[in-house]
Amino acid sequence: MFMFSDLSQLQWQQELKVNTGGWPISDISVVSDTRLLVTAWRERKVILVDSQTGGTVAQITLKHLPLRVCMWDNNTAVVTLVLKKKVQFINIHGDSLTLGQSLKVNGNVYGIARSEEGLVVSYWSSPWLEVLAVNGTVLHRFKPAAERDVFKWPTFIATSADNMVYVSDGGTSTITQLDSNLRVTKTFSDPMLQDPRGIISVSADQVLVCSYDNNRILLLCPSTGVITSILDQQDGIMWPWALTFSPSQRKLYVVPYEGSGRVQVFQQQ
């Protein structure tokens, strides 16, 4: 497990430049020690990237706009598609990408994460959550009784080692914690938490989130509710949109929204 003292010692290492045709990256995920997967939605591409150089290892062009990405297993990723009621599986064979199955869902999916049971997805136009089996069966659902009663913009989702679900909400500037059955357990807020976007769980009690409007990467400790700023503008953080973490490499990758393919890399000391 990575302790708070470790995460507070992140230092700038390098910046990767991914060929996205000049457009920002919409999401990022770690595939292995040497590979990252990014979505370039305006280019309709999913790109396998060398995590040392930022070079393109492989890419695949989709019919629809890929937005969010999460890893299903070591050889498979899942991406959400803008304004399409389905998600797309991507097969990773060494240094190549191929299309897998697509899965119909019950609305326009925005956030996505892998859970112990299947996929956790968030819906945008009518904000609610579902846990889906790989065949599309709805295993659990959280739909507020009143429209936008809990969520406004449930943008990104993370799942933790202890099977909790975390949702960053740019509309309410909160992070909501739910259990594996999608029952709300806690809601976190803080003056530093402004329009939260990308979110990841590093351990059972350490969640990192992009605070988009005030250019910070924040660390949330769910057991205490304490939120701490660990990276900010002085570290080069500007409009942070998405992030991912490699435990084996002890590296944090941050994607700025206006980055035109930039990925900032921070090394854990």
Side-chain angles (χ1 to χ4, degrees), residues 14-26:
Q14 68 181 118
E15 182 174 277
L16 305 178
K17 182 68 174 178
V18 181
N19 183 7
T20 60
W23 296 102
I25 292 168
S26 48

Side-chain angles (χ1 to χ4, degrees), residues 3 5 13 20 24 34 40 80 108 118 134-135 146 158 169 201-202 205 231 251 257-258 263:
M3 301 303 294
S5 58
Q13 185 185 59
T20 60
T34 60
T80 68
N108 298 320
V134 70
N135 64 359
D169 192 314
S201 173
V202 178
D205 201 33
L231 294 171
K251 289 181 179 181
Y257 181 71
E258 298 294 344
V263 179

Side-chain angles (χ1 to χ4, degrees), residues 2 59 183:
F2 295 89
Q59 62 183 13
R183 294 176 295 217

Side-chain angles (χ1 to χ4, degrees), residues 29-42:
S29 186
V30 170
V31 177
S32 68
D33 288 351
T34 60
R35 299 290 183 259
L36 302 168
L37 200 66
V38 304
T39 49
W41 72 280
R42 289 181 183 270

Side-chain angles (χ1 to χ4, degrees), residues 51-126:
S51 61
Q52 303 299 315
T53 67
T56 298
V57 177
Q59 62 183 13
I60 190 167
T61 302
L62 306 184
K63 292 181 179 179
H64 307 293
L65 305 175
L67 191 63
R68 300 285 166 259
V69 61
C70 73
M71 295 301 296
W72 174 260
D73 57 32
N74 292 336
N75 302 304
T76 314
V78 193
V79 298
T80 68
L81 304 172
V82 177
L83 299 179
K84 296 295 176 182
K85 295 181 179 181
K86 65 179 181 178
V87 298
Q88 178 68 55
F89 285 78
I90 305 291
N91 299 318
I92 306 169
H93 303 283
D95 287 343
S96 66
L97 301 176
T98 58
L99 289 178
Q101 66 171 328
S102 61
L103 177 66
K104 291 184 179 180
V105 293
N106 296 309
N108 298 320
V109 173
Y110 200 95
I112 191 168
R114 177 76 160 95
S115 76
E116 196 172 66
E117 292 183 281
L119 290 169
V120 186
V121 297
S122 65
Y123 296 98
W124 176 262
S125 55
S126 177

